[in-house]
Amino acid sequence: MTDLGADREYASRLSACPACDAAPLAARIADSAAARGDLVLSLPTAHCAACITDVERALLAQPGVRAARVNLTLRRVMIDAPGREATDFIPVLEGIGYEAHELDASALGPTAADRQGRDILMRIGVSGFAMMNIMILSVAVWSGASGATRDMFHWISAVIAFPTVIFAGQPFFSSAWASLKGGRLGMDVPISLALILATSISLFETLHSGHHAYFDAAVMLCFFLLIGRYLDYRTRAVARSAAAELTALEVPRAVLLRDGAEQVVPLADLRPGDMIRIRPGARVAADGEVVTGMSEIDRSLLTGESLPVQAGPGMMLSAGEVNLTGPLDLRVTAAGQDSSLGRLTHLVAMAEATRGRYASLAERASRGYSPVVHLLALFSYGLWMYLSGDWRVALNVAAAVLIITCPCALGLAVPAVVTAASGRLFRRGLLIKDGTALERLAEVDCVVFDKTGTLTMGQPELVSLDDLPDTLRPVAHAIADASGHPLSRALAAALKGAGVPIAPLDQAAEVPGFGVEGRWQGLRVRLGRADWAGDAAQEPVDADGPVSLLSVEGHAPVLLRFVDALRPGAAECVAALQDQGRRVMMLSGDTAAAVASAAKALGIDEFRAGVTPAEKEAEIAALAQAGAHVLMVGDGLNDTAALARAHVSISPASALDAARAASDMVLMGQDLQPVAEAVALAVKARRRIKENFAISFGYNVIAVPVAMAGLATPLLAALAMSASSITVTLNALRLR
């Protein structure tokens, strides 16, 4: 097991109770990120790696800005600038061509994202339909049509192509115009210039009865470029902010006790020292200490603990936990952003905004694209003006250079592979949310699993039914059926499956924090904690799994043992990962005995029990600091920060929304074996990505000199560009 050493010292707790392993959460977040100095602006038009560089450079040049980080997935930038206002930076970003405003959740919501996707698809449909019609018209010209017949076909093509280019090319034109207004040359500038030149030259040739028009090239450019843009959009649109999911768990109002009377107040009005009431079934609104009441608390959201824990006076609770059985009065110690849930939310937001060393190969390659393409096209124009003295020839050559170097193949190199690989993985039950996840997954050398709900099903099963006498089974069924506790439900399900009837039971009642009791034929019946249901002096039983005690007055108590069943394919998945030479670990908030038992059954040598959310995130950070590329597989709220911090992450579909949102992939079925298959496939996918880049690079090495030599018309350039895109796509489809 890894020793965190000094990295664990950060666990100086900023929580309700430093001694409680469920509440403390990452004090270093408060110390490092200057929470009070963070401003958040949304950037609706940011879409590529160049946008990140431009925005961060412009903001860091402003006085008082200590840090600025762009989260491209969420299209927002976090600015650490104490004492500054958001209005100070909006004009700065608008000055370099980026729309910016204070964070507006509705602008980033699913509705806006869906509209954007539909808009791109509509433009793809229009350009594709127009392209097919123009290509049919072009066949006649290629076949030798001349004179008035050729001119007629050119004019018909112009009528179709001109409005199509204006409509379908609007995303590129808008982005290019914004870049030029900001004094930059973004990737969309040469694309827009190529579209304008191809269309303009074609119109000029048509007006002067020229032999060649390139309307099909212009529309084809729009079609393939929009496909690349949509693939990129889809990889980003499915990712939602895990921090937003965590924020949604906050209770908006709390029941404040003032002079013995209940008063519902907004959460923002709570202050340390206030008394609040937590009703059964309600989520704990703030960190605090239980003053009165007995209940059971479901803290699986924060700790991964598979079973509820007893809560009574003096116990510290954390925001986000759920009160199950009895009312509790709580003295607030921290609320809102200062609560455990608030700190976890901030922790996840910072982890999401942190970019690792590994960036998309496509983004890295594209940074030098625009200046090189413009220089080559300008050089070609000048050279041919000097050699021929004909501006039409020179302009045709320059347009051919711009078109033939169009980054369609480059843009499809990664999305085409991701699409092919994601289709294969989807058929195996894995959904990829992030387009770069496969690239990062190929680098994984360490896999960290959560236990409850990930390696196990998170559902206790009775394993000691034979220990329960036949005479007591009907009453056991009755008392278990009267309780909503997970162990009671498991007992009732086992007895129902065995065909055991339910005995008549009187006065059945839940005793918060202890169990359930009732009367059967005048005898007292109890089911619950061993030290309550049996002898009051009896110590809790130390077992490999959860236990419950059934006591019927006049009969010997019966100890019922449960296990959390392993997830199907878990053992095979662990074995396959180990066979691939990858390190496998297990981190769980469950008890030491339960974790050790699961680790033994799965063949995992490195494991830790009783791990808090902050400790999980710290463990992942420590592994990364040591040079490991970590795959985190988890399902609970307690795993969310670790999922966001990991190099790549996977969560089951049964996981909480926050965990699924923080992960890069979602396991749709129960079988865990596709996780190991995904790691192996990722290595193949990365190889295909590199092959696609080699194809794209080799294509440009050959095609650019041909275009600059004047041996390719804009139409031939468009066909060559399309051929490179198709080649890249076919190579990617080999993964299927």
Side-chain angles (χ1 to χ4, degrees):
M1 290 176 284
T2 302
D3 182 10
L4 297 180
D7 287 335
R8 294 183 61 185
E9 292 300 321
Y10 83 91
S12 50
R13 321 274 176 132
L14 266 183
S15 66
C17 174
C20 180
D21 286 334
L25 288 170
R28 63 190 170 114
I29 294 303
D31 298 330
S32 63
R36 300 293 180 253
D38 279 344
L39 299 172
V40 182
L41 303 179
S42 64
L43 303 170
T45 58
H47 66 278
C48 67
C51 301
I52 297 175
T53 304
D54 293 336
V55 170
E56 292 182 353
R57 183 187 297 120
L59 291 173
L60 290 172
Q62 301 301 307
V65 177
R66 299 190 301 192
R69 287 186 290 184
V70 174
N71 187 320
L72 191 59
T73 298
L74 302 179
R75 289 198 177 102
R76 63 180 68 167
V77 58
M78 299 179 66
I79 309 168
D80 183 5
R84 301 293 299 275
E85 301 292 335
T87 53
D88 298 336
F89 302 111
I90 291 177
V92 174
L93 296 178
E94 290 178 345
I96 61 171
Y98 290 96
E99 177 187 353
H101 50 81
E102 290 189 77
L103 183 62
D104 180 1
S106 63
L108 302 173
T111 302
D114 290 343
R115 280 200 303 269
Q116 182 182 6
R118 288 195 299 268
D119 178 75
I120 297 176
L121 283 175
M122 179 174 59
R123 297 179 195 277
I124 289 174
V126 170
S127 59
F129 179 78
M131 179 184 69
M132 290 185 291
N133 282 275
I134 295 174
M135 290 294 290
I136 292 173
L137 294 170
S138 299
V139 170
V141 179
W142 298 342
S143 301
S146 60
T149 302
R150 180 192 60 219
D151 292 345
M152 179 186 68
F153 283 127
H154 282 172
W155 277 112
I156 296 173
S157 298
V159 170
I160 298 173
F162 192 73
T164 299
V165 170
I166 293 175
F167 174 74
Q170 188 270 335
F172 308 109
F173 297 144
S174 298
S175 176
W177 179 244
S179 297
L180 292 174
K181 285 199 300 182
R184 300 176 295 107
L185 287 176
M187 284 188 62
D188 288 334
V189 173
I191 292 173
S192 300
L193 188 57
L195 290 172
I196 292 171
L197 282 177
T199 306
S200 301
I201 293 172
S202 299
L203 284 173
F204 182 85
E205 293 287 343
T206 301
L207 287 169
H208 293 82
S209 298
H211 292 279
H212 301 289
Y214 314 108
F215 295 115
D216 46 0
V219 177
M220 191 183 298
L221 273 173
C222 285
F223 179 71
F224 283 107
L225 288 169
L226 285 169
I227 288 177
R229 183 63 55 90
Y230 182 74
L231 290 174
D232 178 71
Y233 156 78
R234 286 304 305 165
T235 61
R236 300 187 189 279
V238 295
R240 295 182 299 161
S241 170
E245 294 290 342
L246 295 178
T247 302
L249 293 177
E250 289 185 351
V251 180
R253 290 171 293 278
V255 179
L256 179 66
L257 297 178
R258 184 169 293 166
D259 298 329
E262 295 185 0
Q263 179 182 356
V264 179
V265 299
L267 184 64
D269 292 347
L270 291 184
R271 297 291 181 270
D274 286 346
M275 291 287 294
I276 60 175
R277 176 158 292 165
I278 312 297
R279 296 191 175 99
R283 196 177 301 279
V284 178
D287 293 353
E289 178 184 357
V290 177
V291 177
T292 59
M294 291 291 296
S295 184
E296 289 185 321
I297 298 295
D298 178 2
R299 50 183 26 164
S300 58
L301 292 176
L302 292 175
T303 69
E305 177 68 36
S306 55
L307 296 174
V309 297
Q310 184 181 14
M315 184 174 180
M316 306 305 301
L317 303 182
S318 298
E321 297 174 344
V322 179
N323 182 21
L324 293 179
T325 53
L328 297 172
D329 291 346
L330 195 75
R331 180 179 291 111
V332 175
T333 58
Q337 293 184 353
D338 296 327
S339 69
S340 297
L341 184 60
R343 295 189 183 283
L344 183 58
T345 300
H346 191 68
L347 182 72
V348 172
M350 296 299 294
E352 284 181 332
T354 301
R355 295 191 304 275
R357 290 175 297 175
Y358 187 80
S360 167
L361 291 174
E363 290 179 350
R364 292 208 305 268
S366 66
R367 291 174 187 171
Y369 164 78
S370 294
V372 171
V373 169
H374 286 93
L375 289 174
L376 288 175
L378 184 61
F379 175 77
S380 301
Y381 179 81
L383 178 64
W384 279 92
M385 276 295 293
Y386 173 76
L387 294 176
S388 67
D390 188 339
W391 69 269
R392 294 171 62 181
V393 173
L395 197 60
N396 270 281
V397 173
V401 171
L402 285 172
I403 293 171
I404 213 164
T405 56
C406 179
C408 283
L410 182 65
L412 290 172
V414 176
V417 172
V418 169
T419 301
S422 62
R424 177 174 171 179
L425 288 177
F426 182 76
R427 290 190 293 272
R428 289 291 292 121
L430 258 179
L431 176 65
I432 298 176
K433 292 173 47 184
D434 191 322
T436 65
L438 280 173
E439 297 176 43
R440 290 180 279 120
L441 190 62
E443 297 181 337
V444 165
D445 49 28
C446 178
V447 183
V448 176
F449 287 98
D450 173 49
K451 183 185 78 71
T452 306
T454 303
L455 288 171
T456 68
M457 296 300 295
Q459 300 172 350
E461 294 182 0
L462 181 68
V463 294
S464 60
L465 182 60
D466 292 341
D467 296 338
L468 186 61
D470 293 341
T471 56
L472 294 183
R473 292 188 179 189
V475 66
H477 195 175
I479 195 71
D481 199 57
S483 172
H485 193 281
L487 294 185
S488 298
R489 291 198 300 268
L491 173 59
L495 293 172
K496 181 179 180 180
V500 176
I502 298 179
L505 197 68
D506 298 325
Q507 303 176 14
E510 196 105 36
V511 180
F514 296 98
V516 60
E517 67 177 351
R519 309 291 295 185
W520 172 63
Q521 297 179 356
L523 303 175
R524 187 190 69 185
V525 181
R526 282 184 173 181
L527 176 67
R529 292 170 57 93
D531 54 357
W532 171 75
D535 187 348
Q538 183 175 350
E539 293 293 329
V541 178
D542 185 14
D544 288 345
V547 298
S548 187
L549 193 74
L550 173 70
S551 69
V552 180
E553 202 171 359
H555 296 76
V558 180
L559 186 66
L560 303 170
R561 299 178 182 272
F562 300 81
V563 296
D564 192 358
L566 294 178
R567 181 179 286 270
E572 293 81 359
C573 176
V574 171
L577 290 169
Q578 291 172 338
D579 290 342
Q580 295 171 16
R582 289 171 174 83
R583 180 183 177 188
V584 179
M585 303 174 60
M586 179 166 59
L587 302 177
S588 175
D590 217 334
T591 63
V595 172
S597 177
K600 182 179 179 181
L602 293 166
I604 299 177
D605 297 326
E606 296 183 79
F607 58 89
R608 286 181 54 197
V611 184
T612 66
E615 288 173 338
K616 280 192 179 183
E617 191 271 343
E619 179 80 16
I620 301 298
L623 289 169
Q625 186 71 22
H629 296 91
V630 181
L631 164 63
M632 175 68 194
V633 187
D635 75 313
L637 185 60
N638 62 309
D639 302 316
T640 307
L643 289 166
R645 175 66 67 187
H647 193 61
V648 63
S649 52
I650 299 175
S651 64
S654 57
L656 293 173
D657 286 345
R660 291 200 307 271
S663 62
D664 300 302
M665 301 182 183
V666 175
L667 183 65
M668 304 303 293
Q670 291 188 345
D671 193 347
L672 201 62
Q673 204 164 355
V675 171
E677 296 176 11
V679 176
L681 181 64
V683 176
K684 295 181 181 179
R686 182 175 62 175
R687 188 180 306 123
R688 295 289 180 268
I689 289 172
K690 291 182 178 180
E691 290 171 356
N692 282 351
F693 272 93
I695 292 171
S696 179
F697 178 76
Y699 156 78
N700 280 284
V701 167
I702 298 172
V704 171
V706 171
M708 293 181 67
L711 301 176
T713 65
L715 177 57
L716 290 177
L719 291 174
M721 176 273 300
S722 300
S724 68
S725 301
I726 293 172
T727 303
V728 164
T729 303
L730 291 176
N731 185 57
L733 290 177
R734 293 168 59 199
L735 284 173
R736 299 174 66 89

